[in-house]
């Protein structure tokens, strides 16, 4: 479990990201999740098709309860609350 308690949570292969992820051809900063009011939005910042929500490649999308977020080979479930 990882609480999204910051305004922005970063994912990638660099040591400066909040959550390091694994995968081939990922950027040092591959994706981020930002809190926007009461909702959270995930943004792909790196290679296309390496950030997915519910199996679909995204550039950005607002997360809903139960969404599955894939960043490289790392998989997360978004749970509100």
């Amino acid at each position: 479990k990882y609480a999204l308690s910051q305004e922005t949570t970063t994912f990638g292969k660099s040591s400066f990201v909040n959550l390091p992820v694994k995968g081939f051809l990922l950027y040092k900063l591959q994706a981020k999740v930002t809190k926007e009011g009461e909702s959270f939005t995930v943004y792909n910042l790196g290679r296309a098709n390496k950030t997915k929500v519910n199996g679909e490649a995204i550039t950005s999308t607002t997360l809903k309860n139960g969404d599955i977020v894939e960043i490289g080979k790392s998989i997360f479930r978004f749970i509100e609350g």
Side-chain angles (χ1 to χ4, degrees):
K1 287 186 176 183
Y2 184 85
L4 298 174
S5 56
Q6 301 174 5
E7 290 295 313
T8 300
T9 302
T10 55
F11 304 79
K13 292 181 82 173
S14 177
S15 60
F16 66 81
V17 297
N18 301 112
L19 283 173
V21 292
K22 296 182 180 184
F24 187 64
L25 297 176
L26 291 180
Y27 279 21
K28 289 182 179 186
L29 182 57
Q30 179 65 38
K32 70 177 180 178
V33 174
T34 60
K35 184 172 178 16
E36 299 172 354
E38 294 298 312
S39 64
F40 290 87
T41 303
V42 60
Y43 297 88
N44 180 55
L45 304 174
R47 292 193 183 275
N49 301 322
K50 295 293 183 178
T51 304
K52 299 178 182 179
V53 174
N54 300 323
E56 298 289 324
I58 57 102
T59 53
S60 70
T61 192
T62 300
L63 294 171
K64 296 180 286 306
N65 192 42
D67 279 349
I68 302 296
V69 180
E70 300 172 59
I71 302 170
K73 293 186 178 193
S74 299
I75 300 172
F76 306 91
R77 178 182 304 272
F78 179 73
I79 299 173
E80 292 181 275

